[in-house]
């Protein structure tokens, strides 16, 4: 099963593709899509859509897992990220029938066993679970891999997290 994990963002969207082989995740590809701050919001949203289409077409995931939003104190940034997430979900569902969502706490719980894990703990566990020589960088790519691993570990329960 090829799973594409997405960490939504307007400036930086992380992605990570894993293959679940006999219940074990194997990293296939990961990275980020960045949009320039000097572009308008609609232009950046279009860039995200076009980049995600290219990623899905080239990586050919069977399922896509997206992190749900966690709002910080800056509501202006939160709104832009929510708009980016909307474009990501729409593009994902158009290109792949199986799209799932997970909260940050669900992802942390699945990766580390604790919903209160910090970034460093998450990156270390992603590195260990995927048997990588180094921690995946940048953080957004590591987060996307964590989303994909979380989905891969849900097994039969994954229908509970499907985007309808």
């Amino acid at each position: 099963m090829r799973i594409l994990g997405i960490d939504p963002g307007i400036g930086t969207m992380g992605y990570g593709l894993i293959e679940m082989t006999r219940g074990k995740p194997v990293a296939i590809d990961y990275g980020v899509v960045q949009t320039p701050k000097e572009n308008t919001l609609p232009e950046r949203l279009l860039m995200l859509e076009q980049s995600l289409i290219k990623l899905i077409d080239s990586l050919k995931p069977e399922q896509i897992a997206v992190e749900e939003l966690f709002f910080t104190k800056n509501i202006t940034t939160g709104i832009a990220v929510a708009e980016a997430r909307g474009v990501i979900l729409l593009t994902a569902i158009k290109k792949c029938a199986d799209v799932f969502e997970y909260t940050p706490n669900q992802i942390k719980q699945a990766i580390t066993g604790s919903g209160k894990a910090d970034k460093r703990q998450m990156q270390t566990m992603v590195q260990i679970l995927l048997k990588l020589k180094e921690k995946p960088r940048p953080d957004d790519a590591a987060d996307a891999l964590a989303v994909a691993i979380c989905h891969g570990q849900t097994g039969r329960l994954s229908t509970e997290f499907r985007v309808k």
Side-chain angles (χ1 to χ4, degrees), residues 105-154:
N105 283 348
Q106 289 169 326
I107 297 164
K108 290 175 183 180
Q109 181 74 35
I111 302 301
T112 68
S114 170
K116 297 181 181 184
D118 63 25
K119 282 269 191 203
R120 201 185 62 174
Q121 291 170 309
M122 288 290 291
Q123 290 170 338
T124 299
M125 285 306 298
V126 167
Q127 179 185 4
I128 291 167
L129 290 168
L130 294 174
K131 297 180 173 80
L132 300 173
K133 292 179 183 176
E134 300 176 348
K135 291 179 185 173
R137 298 275 185 226
D139 293 353
D140 304 279
D143 292 348
L145 285 168
V147 176
I149 295 167
C150 171
H151 178 66
Q153 292 179 345
T154 61

Side-chain angles (χ1 to χ4, degrees), residues 54-98:
K54 286 179 186 174
L55 279 171
I56 294 169
D57 287 346
S58 67
L59 299 176
K60 300 186 182 349
E62 296 167 70
Q63 297 182 338
I64 298 174
V66 182
E67 183 174 359
E68 289 187 8
L69 286 183
F70 173 76
F71 280 101
T72 59
K73 294 177 185 175
N74 187 343
I75 192 67
T76 304
T77 303
I79 291 170
V81 173
E83 291 174 339
R85 190 171 175 281
V87 167
I88 291 164
L89 286 172
L90 177 63
T91 305
I93 202 79
K94 285 167 114 177
K95 298 292 289 176
C96 178
D98 286 333

Side-chain angles (χ1 to χ4, degrees), residues 3-27:
I3 302 166
L4 179 63
I6 303 286
D7 178 36
I10 187 64
T12 306
M13 177 192 78
Y15 68 90
L17 182 73
I18 65 165
E19 176 104 30
M20 290 301 289
T21 307
R22 296 186 190 123
K24 303 280 185 198
V26 176

